[in-house]
Amino acid sequence: MENAVDVTTHGCQSMVTPVRRMLLKDPRAAWLSQANVDAQWQALNYLARPDFDAALAEYDALVEILMGFGMELLWLPANDTTSLDSVYAHDPLIVANRGAILGRMGKAARAPEPTAVGVFLESVGFPVLGRIETPGKLEGGDVLWMDEHTLAIGQGYRTNAEGIRQVRAILGDDIDEIIPVPMPHWTGPADCLHLMSFISLVDHDLAVVYSRLMPVPFREWLLERGMRLVEVPDEEYDSFGCNVLAVAPGVCIMIDGNPVTRRRLEEAGVEVHVYPGANICIKGGGGPTCLTRPILRG
């Protein structure tokens, strides 16, 4: 597929308005082969060895769902500086209405990804507003647009206070408020815990959450804003029940195999689409929000 972008219609400051354009990296470009997976998965702290062919089938099922919504898909190319983790295209950048901010990854093995993404964005004419510089750290999975002018940003092992400060400086008057959310230690710095590991917005007033990991002040702030919370049960947290991609208000995609969370979403009026994700998601530690980077909503 030829990549192109209409630079007059780019950006998004929402997690739930309809996706019009999506940035992705196919595992054929990120993982390359079973041999490459075998060489990297343990060093990257994956939960288990992914099966390359099974991962391709799972990923293709996700892409088929995305294409059903009529969005344009842009494809990041293979890059010899990046690892298996580059399949999780959400994390190296954040997107605002005026363009992208390139992150600086808290996971050292992912350090080349923002530069690689920046080269691609430049090639298709997508504006880059700036990038996070040392000693700042920022990963996209820690950043939630709560509304068009309010950001919640997790502060932990992957994103630090200096990274948050730089986001504030780059965005300027585009935002009114940043809510820093202190992150728990959980399983430590070697594993991936983002803000979006325990909250996904599904509609303007609805979120899927795993409250046992949520800081109390942040949870209370959500409730004060009138946010309805769909709770993920303990038995569905490790299978990424909390990692839910909204493609439009009240329409979402999640990994198959989380029936309680799915039922609770549907009871809340949400249209749910599922795909298998044992290899492409669970073993590598990234769900549908991690695999996808919306670059235009509206």
Side-chain angles (χ1 to χ4, degrees):
M1 178 183 297
E2 181 180 353
N3 286 309
V5 62
D6 179 355
V7 296
T8 65
T9 54
H10 61 262
C12 52
Q13 294 186 186
S14 171
M15 309 300 294
V16 300
T17 53
V19 178
R20 303 302 185 195
R21 188 169 287 121
M22 184 79 83
L23 183 65
L24 300 158
K25 189 167 185 180
D26 193 295
R28 295 166 181 85
W31 288 11
L32 304 178
S33 67
Q34 185 67 59
N36 196 48
V37 171
D38 292 346
Q40 293 188 39
W41 73 269
Q42 289 174 301
L44 292 172
N45 209 34
Y46 282 24
L47 295 178
R49 172 186 177 271
D51 181 288
F52 181 68
D53 290 336
L56 296 184
E58 294 168 4
Y59 190 84
D60 289 348
L62 170 62
V63 171
E64 184 177 358
I65 295 171
L66 295 174
M67 292 178 66
F69 290 101
M71 65 187 69
E72 179 187 1
L73 305 181
L74 274 66
W75 298 97
L76 289 164
N79 187 296
D80 60 11
T81 71
T82 61
S83 72
L84 306 181
D85 280 345
S86 64
V87 76
Y88 302 120
H90 190 92
D91 292 326
L93 71 161
I94 66 173
V95 179
N97 285 341
R98 293 188 294 114
I101 299 174
L102 304 179
R104 181 172 174 270
M105 311 301 281
K107 185 176 182 178
R110 302 192 69 178
E113 290 182 40
T115 295
V117 171
V119 170
F120 171 78
L121 293 177
E122 181 180 357
S123 75
V124 297
F126 194 94
V128 174
L129 304 178
R131 67 180 302 151
I132 304 303
E133 304 289 352
T134 305
K137 295 189 294 185
L138 183 87
E139 293 194 2
D142 278 323
V143 180
L144 279 178
W145 288 103
M146 303 306 304
D147 59 45
E148 190 175 2
H149 300 290
T150 307
L151 276 176
I153 304 182
Q155 183 176 333
Y157 291 122
R158 299 303 184 95
T159 296
N160 63 11
E162 174 58 19
I164 296 172
R165 186 199 67 78
Q166 290 183 35
V167 169
R168 167 84 265 187
I170 293 169
L171 292 178
D173 292 339
D174 291 347
I175 56 172
D176 295 332
E177 187 176 17
I178 290 180
I179 309 297
V181 182
M183 299 290 288
H185 171 77
W186 194 229
T187 52
D191 287 332
C192 179
L193 184 72
H194 286 135
L195 178 62
M196 292 176 69
S197 298
F198 54 78
I199 178 172
S200 296
L201 299 189
V202 184
D203 206 334
H204 298 287
D205 65 346
L206 184 69
V208 179
V209 301
Y210 186 60
S211 288
R212 286 164 60 89
L213 277 173
M214 296 183 77
V216 171
F218 180 57
R219 191 176 188 279
E220 291 179 336
W221 180 81
L222 293 171
L223 294 173
E224 289 167 1
R225 285 174 61 91
M227 189 71 67
R228 296 175 292 143
L229 305 182
V230 173
E231 297 283 352
V232 174
D234 291 344
E235 62 271 21
E236 293 185 3
Y237 177 74
D238 288 339
S239 54
F240 286 68
C242 206
N243 195 298
V244 175
L245 171 67
V247 294
V251 182
C252 74
I253 302 171
M254 65 185 300
I255 301 171
D256 199 10
N258 294 295
V260 175
T261 305
R262 180 177 183 176
R263 174 176 53 79
R264 291 174 178 176
L265 280 164
E266 290 173 341
E267 289 173 348
V270 177
E271 177 185 320
V272 180
H273 300 259
V274 298
Y275 70 100
N279 288 274
I280 197 66
C281 294
I282 295 173
K283 291 179 180 178
T289 64
C290 309
L291 288 167
T292 56
R293 167 46 78 181
I295 58 173
L296 175 66
R297 287 184 183 263

